[in-house]
Amino acid sequence: MARQSANGRNGSKWIRPAKRHALYESDGYRCVYCGRLLDDEHIECERERTLDHLIPRSLGGSHGAHNLVTCCGHCNSSRQELSLRDWYRVLRRLGQSTAAISRRVRAAKRRHARLYPRDVARDYA
């Protein structure tokens, strides 16, 4: 039996491969959270490179490009279904600064919204 992901679908079938790779490319194949390089030379398997929903699906987030960022598997599983605000709170309690993460997230949202403006229009219509 296939394992279901958090969004209730199997694996990465919820997004077209071309769109997934366009988002990775837009982020420079780097995890927006920790900055880890995730191009083919720096990962051992494709599962190490993921897309993360800024607003989790469980909290009403969409699959729109402006709500997705390139993320390493470690950061994605560390964040789980937490809102960004709650995750930042956890990171700060662990002694980590969230200022750089916040800047990278805002920049990625702007890049992705320009890349896929229809996603933004559909979500905010």
Side-chain angles (χ1 to χ4, degrees):
M1 182 175 197
R3 186 178 154 263
Q4 281 196 336
S5 63
N7 62 16
R9 298 177 190 236
N10 297 328
S12 63
K13 294 185 183 354
W14 57 270
I15 187 170
R16 294 183 330 271
K19 184 175 185 178
R20 173 179 291 277
H21 289 286
L23 296 173
Y24 290 157
E25 189 172 306
S26 174
D27 290 334
Y29 285 88
R30 284 194 179 275
C31 176
V32 168
Y33 301 136
C34 71
R36 177 181 170 206
L37 190 56
L38 299 169
D39 63 4
D40 291 338
E41 293 178 28
H42 291 87
I43 61 171
E44 292 185 23
C45 69
E46 188 65 27
R47 285 184 307 220
E48 292 179 60
R49 179 174 51 217
T50 67
L51 288 175
D52 188 37
H53 292 84
L54 294 172
I55 301 171
R57 296 282 293 158
S58 63
L59 299 177
S62 74
H63 289 314
H66 61 287
N67 191 43
L68 298 169
V69 293
T70 302
C71 181
C72 71
H74 173 76
C75 288
N76 200 335
S77 64
S78 148
R79 183 171 165 217
Q80 299 178 351
E81 294 292 313
L82 294 173
S83 69
L84 277 176
R85 178 174 287 148
D86 289 342
W87 190 54
Y88 289 172
R89 198 172 295 131
V90 169
L91 292 175
R92 285 192 294 270
R93 258 188 260 135
L94 295 172
Q96 296 180 31
S97 172
T98 58
I101 297 170
S102 187
R103 280 191 304 273
R104 288 190 300 259
V105 165
R106 283 192 307 272
K109 285 174 66 173
R110 286 190 303 269
R111 285 192 308 270
H112 296 182
R114 282 192 305 266
L115 195 60
Y116 289 96
R118 282 184 172 169
D119 285 359
V120 177
R122 183 176 32 243
D123 280 357
Y124 296 106

